[in-house]
Amino acid sequence: MASTLNVLATFTIIRSTFNDFIPKEIREYLWSFIRRFSSDFTLVIEETHDGSSNHLFKAAMAYLGSHVLSASSASGSPKRLTVGKNENVRKFTFGLDRHSEIVDFFHGVPMKWKYNSDVNTTNNNQFNSESRWYELSFQKKHAEMVKSKYLPHVVSMAKKLKNQNRMVKFHTVRRERWSSSPVNLDHPMTFSTLAMDGDLKKTIVEDLDSFINGKEYYKKIGKVWKRGYLLYGPPGTGKSSLIAAMANHLNFDIYNLNLSAVNSDSSLEFLLLHVSNRSILVIEDIDCTVKLQNREAGDEVGGFPHVQVTLSGLLNSIDGLLSCCGDERIIVFTTNYKDKIDAALLRAGRMDKHICLSYCTPSIFKQLAANYLGISNHDLFCRIEKIIEEIHVSPAEVAGELMKCKDPDKSLENLIQFLENKASEGTSDNTEGERGGNPKQEKGSKSKNSTKSDVTNNSITFLALGSGSKTAGEYTVKAELAPILRGVLLKHGDILANCLLNSMQCRSSFLEIVCGIIQKLQAAKLEDLTEVELQSMVASVCDLESVKLELDWLHKRLDEIIDALELVKHSSKLKEDKKRILQEIEQMEKELETNCHTEKPETQNKSLQVQEMKAETEKLSETISNTEAKVSHFQGSLVDGLL
């Protein structure tokens, strides 16, 4: 031990003497001479390069910051780290302390990093500035790999880490310019807490992920890396919450653009030119913020005399050459009335994906109950779901009631009271309407989404009315199908709004096909249907969807019925197997009773076999019970909830 200390002391004295008596220039020359015979190569990455900020230095700082803490337990790792956080990042950021080193392995090759800093002083020994740089050392034979693969990897990973850790900002317009002080968007909504039908939520997430990973694809097909979404539906159905969830999922900034605050097309162009990459541009209530309604509707532009943003100016801004000045952007339009928007705005390339956010469904209610009350099931659920299927209530209204009380029992009881009151209000409104209490309706001006029918020659003509009391189309169907059509229009709106064919005769024929399918389902029981019949119905629905009839609700129900029919067949087979095994058990038990006084090995084996067969029947019974539970909701009408 003493000899070791003596060696260390001697080495320290020699090193100190060498540094004190050998000039710095000579020391550097000696080190450079020694490095000539070394197989190592070192890259110096300074904070500035050619008089400006060195992006590679910042990338190295971010990249190494993600490695230092995880590598701190390894042998030879730095024992001192820097740590910090500011308002622009979500998590703590770590880094190397001055003169610290760390080894990063890339494809099995060690990459040695060292962080250095030096204080620059003036002639008066006053602090002037600080120089900072990284030294990256590796074997010379890997120089090409470092240049072509490792350094691009560092830059790419640093960008990804930075995007993941940055705070989402919310930008607004002030005096026709983006505010110079955007605020942090601390909205807690994510897709895991967003109350939305599961299939729709999955589709949106997959579409966003496909977009964010599609840089090379967009480049390959020669299109700008952007995507447009149209969110439409009644107020309170979750449009703003969905936008917040999208921003948190992608970690994109939100630029909220109120077109009524923009006075010219040139101002609009300026604003869109200054939207950053990796952002969501939100234009809410596109149908009413400015007068950009459907040109075929004949609306005049006199309602907003001070607004000078034109439809052509908006189209050029979001889909013309101006849209090429940026990448990785999402544009979201929202509206309560899709039919008011000009068709030029709705086409692919401007609004690539149309997402309908409708009233609360049983599925959405269960998600809200899980979020607000922490429960997934309750005795009152069935009652609430039944009322929700019969009335129009927004998810925001349901959430507002659930927030009033944290006790599940009391909260659900209050919600039932609220829903029943809403249902009774709807009934009284309908009664007053039938008595002719509304003078406007007496003149023929009906409210949005209402229907009118007249019996003529064993057929019924329906007038599907859109907003503004303008006739969208005249549909004539058989009298026996009239109640079904009325239910479809009231539940799902005008399912032919986007139909590619304009002939009223063709449209009416399509509606008769839809109503005929529903009529067959109403009259049949699950076990009476065959797979061939159901597949034929699905084929008809697919044909109708190909000409833009909105029948996803009916398509989904037919798929559910087909699955349920398969389960019924499977359950029948299991019952037959169970019956056969029970008969075998009965026969074997009789044989055992006959030979009960003997202790032959055959008797013992047969007894064990009986026990195993009984256990198998118990499993079959459990499987049959579970299968029947899955199809229990089809024991009644096959169209429950469709109308």
Side-chain angles (χ1 to χ4, degrees):
M1 182 68 180
S3 62
T4 303
L5 293 175
N6 289 334
V7 172
L8 291 174
T10 302
F11 178 77
T12 303
I13 294 171
I14 293 173
R15 181 181 178 184
S16 176
T17 303
F18 180 81
N19 291 333
D20 291 340
F21 293 97
I22 304 299
K24 180 180 179 182
E25 292 77 7
I26 297 178
R27 293 201 309 267
E28 291 179 351
Y29 176 78
L30 291 174
W31 287 122
S32 65
F33 181 78
I34 293 172
R35 283 196 291 268
R36 290 182 183 179
F37 300 95
S38 173
S39 61
D40 287 345
F41 189 82
T42 300
L43 293 177
V44 177
I45 305 172
E46 297 181 335
E47 187 173 9
T48 59
H49 183 71
D50 288 342
S52 61
S53 177
N54 188 350
H55 294 299
L56 185 56
F57 178 87
K58 293 182 178 180
M61 182 179 291
Y63 177 77
L64 296 175
S66 67
H67 288 65
V68 291
L69 191 62
S70 59
S72 60
S73 59
S75 59
S77 61
K79 302 304 180 185
R80 288 169 58 87
L81 305 175
T82 62
V83 60
K85 185 182 184 303
N86 60 45
E87 61 181 8
N88 294 320
V89 297
R90 297 173 179 265
K91 304 175 183 177
F92 293 108
T93 55
F94 296 87
L96 292 173
D97 195 15
R98 183 184 300 178
H99 307 308
S100 297
E101 298 180 357
I102 187 174
V103 178
D104 178 38
F105 287 89
F106 181 73
H107 294 186
V109 178
M111 301 290 172
K112 184 178 179 181
W113 289 87
K114 182 179 180 180
Y115 174 65
N116 299 282
S117 67
D118 192 14
V119 176
N120 301 321
T121 58
T122 63
N123 294 331
N124 298 327
N125 292 326
Q126 294 181 347
F127 173 81
N128 187 21
S129 63
E130 181 184 17
S131 299
R132 301 187 299 170
W133 70 95
Y134 285 99
E135 292 180 3
L136 171 59
S137 300
F138 49 88
Q139 291 184 338
K140 290 181 180 179
K141 63 181 180 180
H142 299 303
E144 184 59 32
M145 183 192 72
V146 171
K147 175 184 175 183
S148 61
K149 294 183 179 180
Y150 183 59
L151 291 181
H153 168 74
V154 170
V155 173
S156 174
M157 288 301 299
K159 181 181 178 182
K160 183 177 180 181
L161 292 166
K162 181 182 177 182
N163 290 334
Q164 289 176 347
N165 196 29
R166 63 189 289 272
M167 287 293 297
V168 174
K169 299 289 186 179
F170 184 80
H171 303 256
T172 55
V173 176
R174 293 290 182 270
R175 297 180 181 178
E176 300 193 77
R177 295 293 185 267
W178 294 116
S179 173
S180 58
S181 302
V183 298
N184 289 340
L185 182 69
D186 292 327
H187 202 297
M189 182 59 69
T190 64
F191 278 108
S192 60
T193 57
L194 180 65
M196 178 184 288
D197 286 330
D199 291 340
L200 178 58
K201 185 189 299 187
K202 181 181 177 182
T203 300
I204 295 172
V205 172
E206 289 177 350
D207 191 72
L208 290 172
D209 291 340
S210 176
F211 168 76
I212 202 65
N213 296 317
K215 180 177 182 178
E216 295 302 322
Y217 173 75
Y218 278 83
K219 184 178 180 180
K220 175 184 175 182
I221 62 176
K223 293 186 70 69
V224 180
W225 192 12
K226 68 179 182 66
R227 190 153 180 81
Y229 292 84
L230 172 66
L231 311 183
Y232 66 97
T237 51
K239 293 185 283 292
S240 297
S241 296
L242 175 56
I243 293 171
M246 292 168 68
N248 286 326
H249 180 73
L250 299 173
N251 223 37
F252 277 20
D253 284 353
I254 292 180
Y255 285 78
N256 190 61
L257 178 58
N258 184 358
L259 289 180
S260 62
V262 184
N263 293 330
S264 66
D265 289 345
S266 60
S267 296
L268 177 63
E269 290 179 0
F270 177 88
L271 288 169
L272 296 188
L273 276 172
H274 289 80
V275 172
S276 66
N277 293 342
R278 293 183 59 83
S279 61
I280 300 176
L281 175 66
V282 179
I283 303 178
E284 293 192 282
D285 298 324
I286 184 65
D287 58 290
C288 57
T289 52
V290 295
K291 210 67 173 176
L292 297 174
Q293 281 85 349
N294 194 321
R295 290 167 292 186
E296 297 176 359
D299 293 332
E300 297 181 358
V301 193
F304 298 84
H306 67 286
V307 177
Q308 299 177 17
V309 174
T310 64
L311 177 60
S312 61
L314 179 62
L315 297 179
N316 290 332
S317 297
I318 64 174
D319 196 31
L321 291 176
L322 183 65
S323 66
C324 302
C325 303
D327 266 335
E328 219 169 350
R329 292 179 181 175
I330 288 177
I331 303 176
V332 177
F333 297 87
T334 71
T335 180
N336 295 334
Y337 309 107
K338 179 181 176 182
D339 57 340
K340 280 188 173 184
I341 301 177
D342 194 286
L345 270 171
L346 293 174
R347 73 163 177 80
R350 290 166 181 156
M351 299 185 187
D352 303 288
K353 195 168 185 64
H354 299 187
I355 301 172
C356 178
L357 301 175
S358 189
Y359 293 104
C360 191
T361 63
S363 172
I364 293 177
F365 160 68
K366 288 182 178 179
Q367 294 177 62
L368 291 171
N371 290 342
Y372 288 88
L373 303 179
I375 58 175
S376 58
N377 201 0
H378 195 278
D379 293 340
L380 297 176
F381 272 19
C382 291
R383 185 177 173 186
I384 293 173
E385 290 171 14
K386 185 176 181 181
I387 302 175
I388 285 176
E389 288 178 343
E390 295 174 351
I391 66 173
H392 285 171
V393 58
S394 70
E397 291 177 302
V398 175
E401 291 299 316
L402 295 177
M403 287 182 67
K404 292 180 179 179
C405 180
K406 294 183 179 180
D407 177 68
D409 294 333
K410 188 173 181 180
S411 180
L412 294 178
E413 290 173 358
N414 292 340
L415 177 60
I416 290 175
Q417 183 64 42
F418 169 79
L419 295 175
E420 288 178 343
N421 291 339
K422 194 172 184 68
S424 62
E425 290 174 4
T427 303
S428 62
D429 291 343
N430 290 338
T431 303
E432 291 178 4
E434 290 173 1
R435 293 175 181 174
N438 191 336
K440 292 183 179 180
Q441 290 185 0
E442 290 177 0
K443 296 178 182 180
S445 176
K446 295 200 174 230
S447 61
K448 175 168 57 77
N449 293 333
S450 61
T451 59
K452 173 185 174 183
S453 62
D454 298 310
V455 180
T456 310
N457 298 328
N458 295 324
S459 69
I460 292 189
T461 299
F462 283 80
L463 296 179
L465 301 181
S467 59
S469 301
K470 294 175 183 177
T471 303
E474 183 175 343
Y475 309 137
T476 303
V477 299
K478 297 177 182 178
E480 63 190 68
L481 301 178
I484 297 175
L485 179 57
R486 183 182 294 108
V488 169
L489 294 175
L490 289 174
K491 177 75 174 181
H492 304 286
D494 187 4
I495 61 175
L496 293 109
N498 299 317
C499 182
L500 298 178
L501 301 179
N502 296 323
S503 167
M504 283 300 143
Q505 184 177 359
C506 290
R507 290 187 170 212
S508 298
S509 299
F510 292 162
L511 286 175
E512 284 200 346
I513 295 173
V514 174
C515 295
I517 292 174
I518 296 175
Q519 186 183 48
K520 289 180 182 178
L521 295 177
Q522 277 182 329
K525 292 184 179 180
L526 182 62
E527 54 271 19
D528 297 334
L529 294 171
T530 65
E531 187 175 353
V532 174
E533 290 177 314
L534 291 170
Q535 291 295 350
S536 176
M537 294 180 187
V538 170
S540 298
V541 170
C542 289
D543 290 338
L544 295 173
E545 286 180 322
S546 67
V547 291
K548 300 301 183 182
L549 266 73
E550 297 176 357
L551 294 175
D552 55 318
W553 49 277
L554 182 56
H555 198 154
K556 182 179 178 181
R557 177 57 59 87
L558 289 172
D559 289 341
E560 292 173 348
I561 294 174
I562 291 173
D563 292 340
L565 188 61
E566 288 295 323
L567 290 175
V568 169
K569 292 180 179 178
H570 182 59
S571 178
S572 299
K573 184 176 181 303
L574 293 178
K575 288 179 180 178
E576 292 177 0
D577 292 341
K578 179 182 175 181
K579 182 178 179 181
R580 175 180 52 77
I581 295 173
L582 288 174
Q583 291 175 348
E584 293 178 3
I585 291 174
E586 183 179 1
Q587 181 64 31
M588 294 174 70
E589 285 180 340
K590 289 180 180 179
E591 294 177 5
L592 288 172
E593 288 177 1
T594 305
N595 303 322
C596 63
H597 300 293
T598 63
E599 296 184 358
K600 295 181 179 179
E602 294 82 2
T603 304
Q604 295 177 354
N605 292 336
K606 190 168 290 188
S607 179
L608 291 173
Q609 190 176 358
V610 168
Q611 296 299 322
E612 291 174 354
M613 294 171 70
K614 286 183 177 180
E616 185 178 355
T617 58
E618 291 178 359
K619 291 181 179 179
L620 286 173
S621 298
E622 183 178 356
T623 304
I624 292 169
S625 177
N626 293 335
T627 303
E628 290 178 345
K630 291 180 181 178
V631 300
S632 59
H633 59 287
F634 282 122
Q635 296 305 315
S637 174
L638 297 177
V639 296
D640 281 345
L642 283 186
L643 305 178

